[in-house]
């Protein structure tokens, strides 16, 4: 069996018979697990950056380069032991995730709720509240099939897996659609089942990946690690999964190519075919999730109803190895050279390369998307079917055995576990293509316009492929305390990138939040061609502290700095200052200035630095946007004393 | 003789012998001429937009499209008579262009000044002040040769031609380099010559082109005309000349191609060769000057020492016809197909296509520049040697008989009167390439860093090729008064564009200066391919006036609106809000929000609208930046009574 995990079958049975019928078959949810559950050391000294003396401290006497060691650009060995996620934590549901008391509403029997379980007639319960969400089928960001799967049932067992619902604003918004209450007995009964957890066979992640959601796993590296090497180590590469990770057998892997103008109706390649029939091509590229910094778009006036809520680090760089898609298409009968030279037009009017992955949700709906066909046949293009990442087989989390790699395009189209390629006149109809990654004007909101899908003017919400210019300071990281005894200057480091192969031409940095700017030193140890600058540019600057700050430090006073950066790419596009004018309800293409607020402490020696004393020890924190409640793992609050285990069970007994 | 105008010889004589020696040979400056000297009608009703009822008024009862007539996208006939520029105006030098009295400084004899006329030892006089500008040779934005040409002499006869020096800040800045005074007699004597005017044989321009400088001519169309048709009529196409317009004989025109990998050392084409040996290719593209909106970067804190100071309209669209550069290069022996398919690298490591025009300054220094070679051999590229503009021979002002057309690239590289193409490993060394169009960080200023060229860190001032996303409201134009009796909505129209072939995906518009935004309707009547969107997108929106504004109008109160727009291109880049963080001393790549401030007047009927009562009747006015003194023709004040003719001569006698 190709899919080693048995979850698909379970999910399909679940869909057919409803959850109660298969309740006994489902494995119990084993843990309210977290993938980065262990707190790290609370100091940071660029651990892992062995042999890079100049990088060891935040401060430096003179100007440093990012690459004083010639192997700087190589991924550094990951020095922290990879551990099984802790299973000893429990969580409560915070007060703003509980529906209010509504004695004005009628009490509805559980049996009656259960009858509303069809398309167009969908009721749900949660903590004693009853909702009619019939209108919401296509608006559900997690997909229509999943919403239908849970119709007529209680949401908590599902949300116990998909905890991204627990950020407060979801339950507040749903109150508008509340139609009644359950009796206390029915409420208890409603939650008496567990839902099969597709994610049980997911790989274990490195604890330096901060999960934005645990299921599916979406984790961003500890921010200061991004400037520890030019290439991000595989274990620290940001991981963006839309679904559970397939566990694929390489011998059984198949790539299927279909569509217009092919020599056969359907062409199938094995992994061995790909590795032996075509020339290997390597490309170093940065990937970034379309929604990186989504957390920064959420505040009281602007609410984001789509996950994951990345903080800052959903961007990494690797060297990928694989075969060029244009070579494979040529083998399939396409005259890619004639297309690239404009001598022919794509056969049958093909405009899009549709893709489908092996990954699928509980209902069998697979991940997918599409990209413009010109990118596939481009003569100097480097779209590859990648089977290597930094010289190793792809890790499972990054698409083992084969993924799409479309340099310069948005992360969402780099389809992992690639299974099918379809050459078509139309864009992919997958919700991941035609729904999730659209960029609407700021007056369009989820609550008013998108919850009932499609909105009036889909043409006014273009779909993202290439991403805008961006940059952010990684080190010192947000909220760090920095030893500043006799300090006269500060060194900061960061990363910068632009989509579509545009080169980073300059990065300006500021220590006063953007009042004054100066150009930083740029670092890109590899050579990439004009408009093929797929990989990021790192930057660093050693800036003199203004006299008044030096004086304050001498007097023993702490000083707060607001470090920020803005990049200029080869199209001379820039990053905007503020969020609000560029806010968009899907939370994509976010590139306003990222502020890293740090404290200089003259009571500490230079070189000493402390991460913020946060719950998880990560410096990755938003800059601008904020939730009323602090960001936590999967949106639940830590409950160290196990007092509020939502299902009143001790899971580690 | 190829160059019909005799000015080159005159200028060379001038250089050899100094101005006094050839003073008698020079023709007298015939006029303090202006090219748009006549004031037009002070009302605007989209004159020229014949048959477009929906466009006739600024207000409309319902939503309009830009193209209710099927021929909307065709250039409209230019309805205003083209007139010889008026020669009846005189100008004074404003007070801030006069050096202050400095009795503390020594009086220097004119003979002594005249001795300092060599490289490294350059003195100048102006209105009785003596300056030592020796350091400034390479820093002079108008070029080193010209500064040297005037060394040891008085500046006024030169500045009488190059009036862009008369904006106040130039003379203020020069005070730092003042070393003495002339006696009143010497001051009078110093100005007793006239300098040959290369620009005498320039073509006559349309009065709806607002000159930013007259010599060389740089003129932008009346802003509201940009949304009168999709294609800009040739007469209204913004005109950016660096030098005087060559008057070339088509039979004598030659295109010379030199460089690595060619079948011969030097290959020469006639105009007939180009038109008969190669297939004609047509492309519709928008061009924009790198410095469009430069006037918006100038205020008390930020000063721009480079011209022209465009206001807003240095952007236009035309259909160009010519031959593909890649076809010509193939004919020269380059295997452009193999290059485009990545099968070969450019011969001899060629990286740049250098260009030289026929146009030259008084010293014989020709215009030129270069662009990346990948753009030239791109399989789907459309770089052409253009000989047609909107179906006609190129107008003289636009490069007759042949110009470069590099779609998606900055205006400055669209070399007009193209004479030489050199395939090289290096960028062009022309100052127009390696000096003028660089983008420095905001802490770099002309006064501190660039006046003595080169600056410390040339690598931190990248050279522009592709331009960032932009948009601006054209109609109603800046400062218009709009009839608003019983008005409930307002219709606005504008243009939007992005460099590098990126498509405009959305334009958001606002009537309250950017507090609230909504998506506009987009209009692009032509089909262009993925990343080949060379031509602009026009936009329009009919927006409901908020209740409170409607009430005010009903009460008879005037209401001010702040119309603005921001575009999103296919790389999801956006326009920044403010100028200051993106200020750069060369004044390029300017794309912060353009504000069009208009007044709704309920005492006027809808459809009635008035242009501002300005000196020249143009609505093109800056938005943000400003000079202390109002912008005028060539920087001189109008002197209707001829009281202050700087050379105390009546020119129209």
């Amino acid at each position: 069996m190709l899919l080693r995990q048995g979850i698909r079958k379970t999910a399909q049975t679940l869909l057919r018979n409803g959850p109660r019928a298969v309740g006994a078959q489902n494995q119990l949810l084993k843990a309210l697990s977290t993938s980065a559950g262990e707190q790290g050391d609370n100091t940071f000294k660029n651990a892992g950056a062995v042999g890079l003396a100049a990088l060891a401290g935040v401060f430096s006497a003179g100007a440093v380069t990012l690459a004083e060691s010639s192997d700087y650009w190589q991924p550094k060995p990951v020095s922290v032991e990879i551990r099984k996620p802790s299973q000893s934590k429990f969580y409560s549901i915070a007060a703003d995730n509980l529906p209010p008391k509504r004695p004005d509403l009628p009490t509805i029997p559980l049996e009656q709720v259960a009858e509303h379980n069809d398309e167009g007639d969908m009721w749900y319960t949660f903590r004693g509240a009853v909702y009619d969400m019939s209108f919401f089928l296509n608006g559900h960001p997690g997909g229509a099939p999943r919403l239908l799967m849970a119709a007529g049932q209680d949401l908590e067992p599902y949300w116990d897996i998909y905890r991204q619902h627990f950020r407060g604003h979801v339950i507040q918004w749903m109150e508008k659609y509340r139609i009644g209450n359950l009796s206390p007995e029915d409420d208890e009964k409603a939650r008496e089942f567990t839902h099969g957890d597709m994610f049980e066979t997911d790989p274990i992640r490195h604890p330096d990946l901060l999960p934005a959601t645990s299921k599916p796993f979406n984790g961003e590296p500890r921010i200061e690690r991004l400037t520890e090497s030019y290439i991000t180590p595989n274990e620290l590469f940001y991981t963006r999964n839309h679904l559970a990770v397939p566990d694929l057998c390489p011998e059984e892997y198949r790539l299927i190519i279909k569509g217009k103008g092919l020599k056969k109706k359907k062409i199938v390649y094995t992994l061995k075919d790909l590795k032996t029939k075509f020339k290997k091509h390597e490309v170093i590229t940065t990937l970034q999730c379309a929604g990186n910094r989504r957390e920064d778009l959420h505040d009281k006036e602007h609410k984001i109803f789509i996950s994951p809520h990345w903080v800052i680090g959903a961007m990494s760089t690797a060297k990928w190895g694989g075969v060029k898609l244009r070579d494979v298409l040529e083998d399939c009968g396409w005259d890619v050279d004639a297309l690239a030279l404009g001598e022919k037009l794509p056969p049958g009017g093909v405009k899009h390369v549709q893709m489908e992955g092996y990954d699928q949700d509980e209902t069998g709906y697979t991940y997918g998307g599409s990209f413009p066909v010109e990118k596939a046949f481009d003569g100097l293009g480097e779209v590859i079917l990648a089977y290597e990442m930094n010289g190793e087989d792809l890790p499972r989390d990054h698409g083992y055995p084969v993924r799409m790699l479309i340099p310069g395009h948005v992360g969402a189209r780099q389809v992992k576990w690639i299974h099918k390629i379809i050459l078509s006149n139309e864009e992919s109809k997958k919700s991941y293509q035609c729904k999730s990654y659209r960029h609407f004007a700021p007056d369009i909101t989820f609550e008013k316009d998108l919850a009932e899908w499609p909105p009036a003017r889909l043409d006014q919400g273009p779909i993202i492929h290439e991403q805008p210019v961006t940059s952010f300071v990684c080190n010192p990281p947000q909220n760090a305390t920095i030893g500043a005894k006799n300090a006269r200057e500060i060194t900061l480091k960061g990363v910068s990138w632009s989509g579509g192969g545009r080169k980073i031409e300059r990065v300006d940095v500021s220590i006063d939040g953007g009042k004054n700017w100066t150009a930083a030193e740029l670092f890109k140890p590899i050579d990439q061609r004009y408009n093929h600058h797929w990989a990021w540019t790192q930057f660093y600057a050693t800036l003199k502290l203004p006299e008044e700050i030096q004086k304050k430090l001498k007097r023993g006073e702490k000083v707060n700095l607001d470090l920020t950066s803005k990049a200029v790419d080869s199209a001379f596009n820039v990053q905007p200052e503020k969020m609000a004018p560029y806010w968009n309800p899907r939370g994509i293409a976010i590139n306003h200035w990222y502020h890293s607020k740090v404290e200089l402490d003259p009571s500490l020696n230079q070189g000493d630095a402390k991460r913020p004393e946060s719950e998880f020890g990560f410096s990755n924190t938003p800059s601008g946007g904020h939730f009323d409640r602090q960001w936590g793992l999967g949106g639940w609050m830590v409950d160290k004393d196990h007092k509020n285990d939502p299902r009143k069970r001790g899971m580690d007994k």
Side-chain angles (χ1 to χ4, degrees), chain A:
Chain A
M1 183 183 165
L2 179 56
L3 286 171
R4 286 182 185 153
Q5 70 209 69
I7 197 70
R8 182 180 178 183
K9 200 172 163 195
T10 308
Q12 283 171 342
T13 315
L14 192 79
L15 261 188
R16 257 197 316 278
N17 305 334
R20 280 174 194 78
V22 293
Q25 298 170 322
N26 288 335
Q27 292 186 48
L28 283 181
L29 184 65
K30 284 198 183 124
L32 295 160
S33 66
T34 77
S35 298
E38 302 294 323
Q39 229 173 293
D41 183 5
N42 204 41
T43 63
F44 65 101
K45 293 193 178 185
N46 294 288
V50 184
L52 289 174
L55 287 178
V58 170
F59 285 96
S60 158
V64 298
T65 69
L66 271 174
E68 298 204 346
S69 155
S70 63
D71 68 348
Y72 165 75
W73 76 281
Q74 298 287 354
K76 290 292 163 301
V78 172
S79 56
V80 186
E81 187 197 351
I82 297 181
R83 287 165 294 201
K84 210 42 192 165
S86 161
Q87 300 189 358
S88 63
K89 280 183 180 167
F90 287 82
Y91 302 89
S92 66
I93 297 182
D96 58 353
N97 278 315
L98 293 176
K101 297 280 174 214
R102 289 288 301 277
D104 57 309
L105 293 178
T107 298
I108 300 173
L110 191 56
E111 290 70 27
Q112 194 183 331
V113 172
E115 285 164 15
H116 298 269
N117 60 4
D118 274 337
E119 210 168 310
D121 177 27
M122 307 186 301
W123 288 12
Y124 302 86
T125 60
F126 179 76
R127 290 282 168 143
V130 183
Y131 307 93
D132 178 355
M133 305 295 289
S134 303
F135 77 100
F136 190 48
L137 184 66
N138 294 311
H140 181 223
R146 273 179 175 149
L147 195 72
L148 194 55
M149 170 178 90
Q153 302 158 47
D154 194 81
L155 292 168
E156 193 163 333
Y158 295 96
W159 286 5
D160 191 21
I161 296 170
Y162 298 108
R163 290 181 189 164
Q164 45 272 40
H165 294 87
F166 290 108
R167 297 298 301 275
H169 61 310
V170 173
I171 205 75
Q172 285 161 17
W173 166 72
M174 283 173 61
E175 189 65 18
K176 204 159 79 175
Y177 306 103
R178 186 158 166 190
I179 54 170
N181 302 312
L182 290 180
S183 68
E185 299 72 32
D186 273 359
D187 173 31
E188 191 76 18
K189 204 169 146 195
R191 287 180 270 140
E192 264 180 7
F193 74 99
T194 55
H195 175 56
D197 181 359
M198 294 190 74
F199 302 91
E200 283 177 331
T201 55
D202 262 21
I204 293 167
R205 279 87 185 195
H206 193 277
D208 271 0
L209 289 184
L210 175 72
T213 66
S214 293
K215 295 173 184 182
F217 183 75
N218 288 289
E220 61 182 72
R222 195 180 280 287
I223 185 66
E224 62 268 35
R225 300 207 73 163
L226 289 182
T227 45
E228 283 179 8
S229 56
Y230 185 76
I231 298 288
T232 317
N234 288 357
E235 295 83 350
L236 299 182
F237 203 98
Y238 88 92
T239 301
R240 200 289 183 237
N241 293 337
H242 291 79
L243 301 161
V245 177
D247 197 357
L248 300 174
C249 193
E251 293 76 20
E252 295 179 42
Y253 171 82
R254 294 293 179 274
L255 174 69
I256 296 169
I257 302 195
K258 294 196 289 189
K260 300 191 174 180
L262 303 178
K263 65 185 180 189
K264 284 198 294 178
K265 202 170 166 189
K266 172 177 160 179
I267 295 160
V268 181
Y269 295 99
T270 65
L271 180 60
K272 197 179 160 195
D273 290 338
L274 292 176
K275 287 188 171 178
T276 56
K277 290 182 76 168
F278 303 98
K279 198 177 152 194
K280 184 172 158 185
H281 183 79
E282 288 187 331
V283 57
I284 297 177
T285 184
T286 296
L287 298 184
Q288 183 184 225
C289 181
N292 191 21
R293 300 183 58 199
R294 189 170 277 141
E295 188 86 343
D296 264 347
L297 290 203
H298 187 101
D299 63 17
K300 278 193 169 59
E301 285 76 42
H302 311 80
K303 298 204 188 301
I304 296 281
F305 286 79
I306 197 165
S307 74
H309 282 232
W310 299 111
V311 181
I312 178 68
M315 179 154 85
S316 305
T317 299
K319 182 170 77 175
W320 308 87
V323 299
K324 282 194 179 182
L325 178 61
R326 76 188 307 278
D327 292 347
V328 175
L329 293 182
E330 191 171 36
D331 189 60
C332 291
W334 265 38
D335 191 352
V336 286
D337 287 356
L339 294 173
L341 296 172
E343 293 163 359
K344 287 184 185 174
L345 289 173
V350 165
K351 286 193 174 164
H352 304 273
V353 179
Q354 296 186 1
M355 304 164 285
E356 266 185 50
Y358 269 106
D359 49 333
Q360 51 188 235
D361 73 8
E362 294 89 339
T363 71
Y365 189 74
T366 56
Y367 185 72
S370 62
F371 66 97
V373 71
E374 285 86 351
K375 180 80 178 169
F377 62 66
D378 179 9
L380 300 178
E382 301 188 78
V383 176
I384 62 173
L385 292 148
Y387 48 75
E388 277 182 12
M389 183 177 182
N390 293 333
E392 297 172 1
D393 284 349
L394 289 183
R396 277 186 62 211
D397 253 339
H398 296 286
Y400 181 81
V402 184
R403 75 176 298 173
M404 288 302 301
L405 212 282
I406 311 166
H409 280 222
V410 73
R413 310 292 174 242
Q414 322 281 333
V415 176
K416 302 194 273 195
W417 317 286
I418 179 77
H419 184 30
K420 292 179 192 162
I421 288 178
I422 302 142
L423 306 164
S424 174
N425 304 18
E426 293 187 328
E427 276 185 294
S428 167
K429 298 289 184 210
K430 293 279 179 194
S431 62
Y432 311 104
Q433 176 80 16
C434 62
K435 198 173 109 182
S436 308
Y437 294 102
R438 287 186 179 270
H439 192 279
F440 293 95
D443 62 337
I444 302 295
T445 65
F446 173 81
E447 304 93 307
K448 178 169 64 75
D449 306 286
L450 306 184
E452 194 165 357
W453 189 268
R457 291 295 299 270
L458 212 49
D459 64 314
Q460 292 181 339
I463 293 168
I464 195 165
H465 292 287
E466 295 184 9
Q467 289 167 286
V469 61
T470 194
S471 72
F472 46 86
V473 172
C474 299
N475 201 337
Q478 179 81 275
N479 297 328
T481 300
I482 300 163
K485 192 175 277 179
N486 303 320
R488 289 189 202 165
E489 54 192 23
I490 181 166
T491 293
L492 52 85
K493 299 193 282 275
V495 295
S496 178
W497 182 74
S498 187
R502 281 173 292 282
K503 187 183 175 190
I504 293 301
E505 297 281 7
R506 204 183 64 245
V507 180
D508 299 334
V509 292
S510 170
I511 61 171
D512 57 10
K515 285 186 203 75
N516 293 284
W517 296 97
T518 198
E521 303 297 321
L522 300 187
F523 179 74
K524 187 174 179 193
I526 57 168
D527 208 17
Q528 296 191 315
R529 291 174 76 152
Y530 172 71
N531 276 353
H532 285 58
H533 287 269
W534 314 126
W536 65 18
T537 294
Q538 294 178 322
F539 63 88
Y540 60 94
T542 298
L543 304 175
K544 193 168 178 264
L545 293 169
E547 292 298 333
E548 72 219 81
I549 289 181
Q550 290 192 38
K551 279 181 195 160
K552 274 191 186 173
L553 292 173
K554 273 188 193 137
R555 290 198 300 265
E557 293 171 35
K558 290 179 180 175
V559 174
N560 292 308
L561 298 182
D562 181 350
L563 312 179
T564 191
S565 66
K566 62 181 176 70
V568 178
D569 74 6
S570 55
F572 289 71
N573 276 302
V574 295
Q575 300 177 241
E577 179 175 356
K578 288 176 183 163
M579 172 266 266
Y582 312 97
W583 185 85
N584 64 92
R586 290 302 196 209
I588 62 168
I590 304 154
N591 68 334
H592 61 282
W593 306 348
Y594 179 77
H595 294 267
S596 185
K597 294 184 180 176
V598 300
E599 185 186 64
L600 302 183
D601 186 341
S603 72
L604 299 175
N605 287 324
Q606 289 185 41
D608 287 349
K610 280 197 302 190
R611 285 206 190 90
E613 299 279 352
S614 82
E615 195 175 311
F616 304 105
F618 274 82
S619 302
N620 307 37
T621 41
S623 148
H626 67 279
F627 275 85
D628 291 340
R629 190 155 42 83
Q630 200 197 344
W631 195 91
L633 283 183
W636 292 54
M637 303 287 281
V638 170
D639 172 24
K640 286 182 180 159
D641 302 329
H642 300 201
K643 278 184 186 157
N644 288 299
D645 174 19
R647 282 160 301 126
K648 304 189 196 305
R649 274 198 301 278
M651 295 305 299
D652 57 349
K653 277 175 193 166

